[in-house]
Amino acid sequence: MTNTWEGSPMATVVPLAEAVAELVHDGDSVAMEGFTHLIPYAAGHEIIRQGRRDLTLIRMTPDLLYDQMIGMGCARKLVFSWGGNPGVGSLHRFRDAVQNSWPAPLEIEEHSHAGIANAYVAGASGLPFAVLRGYRGTDLPAHTPNIKPITCPFTGEELTAVPAINPDVAVVHAQRADRRGNVQLWGITGVQKEAVLAARRSLVTVEELVEELEPRPGAIVLPGWAITHVSEAPGGSHPSYSAGYSTRDNDFYLAWDEIGRDRETFVAWMKENIL
């Protein structure tokens, strides 16, 4: 297995800037997951502030956060299955990078949602690839070299395979953690668990630290021994939301369409609000 968490000590609770400085390096593959809510904006903004470059960004549904990171020159490649400003339109910084190489060329690797999810599961399971039917009948295999046909050795059925995703770093946001680094999250959970378990290093930002995690129906607990660092970041998912703690800032998503559309407006906004 590529995972390094087995047999490792419990996660340590450290300030966000310290966690990013230690865990995220130039040239790393970085998965920042969160579906609809619990999107790790605070951590992404810290990566931008620390000036990381040449990152391979992985995310099932890149939205405004990756638009910001791409526009600030952090990314060399994007591995994804859908990209856009949810309910609004395009990601203009993403589009500008692909079409015009601004501020730097961006390589893309496009998959289906099922392909990315299964690739994370394979990575978390210590397997070299995932097998699925979902690409049959689509033109994605013609455009994505990392989608390959494979024949079932038992039935002869032709399927498709995608390589496991084992990010150098996985970054997710959650509602709370205890002092030993055990993390609890609930709501729409997406593939956060799989991304953390597949990664070589991991950072979880949380709304709050508590002395003890109270049982909650439907909640997922990521054990501290599977996580590298936990950082407290109240409001760390804004403008998305954290179920039970905050609501979605819909006005920001609408405003971003104009902010991100123009290069100079974008850079000025990032300097004033993030840097």
Side-chain angles (χ1 to χ4, degrees):
M1 293 181 66
T2 57
N3 311 67
T4 58
W5 47 260
E6 186 173 0
S8 63
M10 299 294 285
T12 52
V13 178
V14 300
L16 179 56
E18 179 182 332
V20 168
E22 178 183 334
L23 298 179
V24 184
H25 314 129
D26 289 352
D28 277 351
S29 57
V30 181
M32 305 185 71
E33 289 294 347
F35 190 75
T36 302
H37 77 142
L38 298 178
I39 299 171
Y41 277 90
H45 291 162
E46 184 59 34
I47 291 171
I48 292 171
R49 283 191 290 270
Q50 295 194 18
R52 294 296 180 268
R53 293 291 181 268
D54 297 320
L55 301 178
T56 294
L57 296 178
I58 307 164
R59 180 165 159 75
M60 184 175 285
T61 54
D63 59 355
L64 276 55
L65 177 58
Y66 274 17
D67 207 33
Q68 294 170 356
M69 297 179 73
I70 290 167
M72 293 303 290
C74 297
R76 177 188 62 81
K77 180 179 180 180
L78 178 65
V79 181
F80 72 112
S81 54
W82 175 90
N85 184 340
V88 180
S90 293
L91 296 175
H92 301 294
R93 295 301 93 224
F94 173 26
R95 180 185 290 270
D96 203 7
V98 172
Q99 293 181 332
N100 304 307
S101 298
W102 192 93
L106 182 70
E107 180 184 350
I108 60 172
E109 180 180 321
E110 186 175 1
H111 290 272
S112 67
H113 283 347
I116 293 284
N118 279 277
Y120 277 130
V121 171
S125 303
L127 297 171
F129 59 86
V131 178
L132 61 158
R133 291 189 176 95
Y135 291 109
R136 293 175 60 188
T138 76
D139 61 356
L140 273 174
H143 298 280
T144 303
N146 272 345
I147 302 171
K148 300 290 187 183
I150 187 170
T151 302
C152 174
F154 303 105
T155 66
E157 181 183 5
E158 185 173 300
L159 303 166
T160 47
V162 292
I165 293 177
N166 289 109
D168 293 312
V169 192
V171 182
V172 302
H173 188 69
Q175 281 92 344
R176 58 195 180 197
D178 64 22
R179 302 288 175 178
R180 295 172 297 168
N182 298 303
V183 169
Q184 188 179 46
L185 66 152
W186 61 86
I188 303 172
T189 51
V191 291
Q192 290 100 310
K193 175 186 69 176
E194 291 79 5
V196 168
L197 295 177
R200 297 171 177 87
R201 305 181 297 276
S202 57
L203 166 63
V204 183
T205 55
V206 294
E207 291 290 328
E208 66 171 337
L209 292 170
V210 298
E211 294 303 321
E212 186 174 352
L213 299 177
E214 298 178 359
R216 183 181 179 94
I220 290 174
V221 174
L222 290 171
W225 49 261
I227 299 166
T228 311
H229 288 321
V230 171
S231 298
E232 191 173 23
S237 64
H238 180 270
S240 76
Y241 69 100
S242 299
Y245 286 79
S246 61
T247 57
R248 189 178 191 267
D249 187 349
N250 293 318
D251 290 341
F252 185 88
Y253 284 85
L254 292 171
W256 186 256
D257 188 66
E258 290 301 319
I259 295 168
R261 189 178 292 271
D262 177 75
R263 293 176 184 177
E264 292 184 1
T265 302
F266 163 76
V267 171
W269 188 92
M270 292 296 292
K271 287 181 177 179
E272 180 179 352
N273 295 281
I274 305 302
L275 299 181

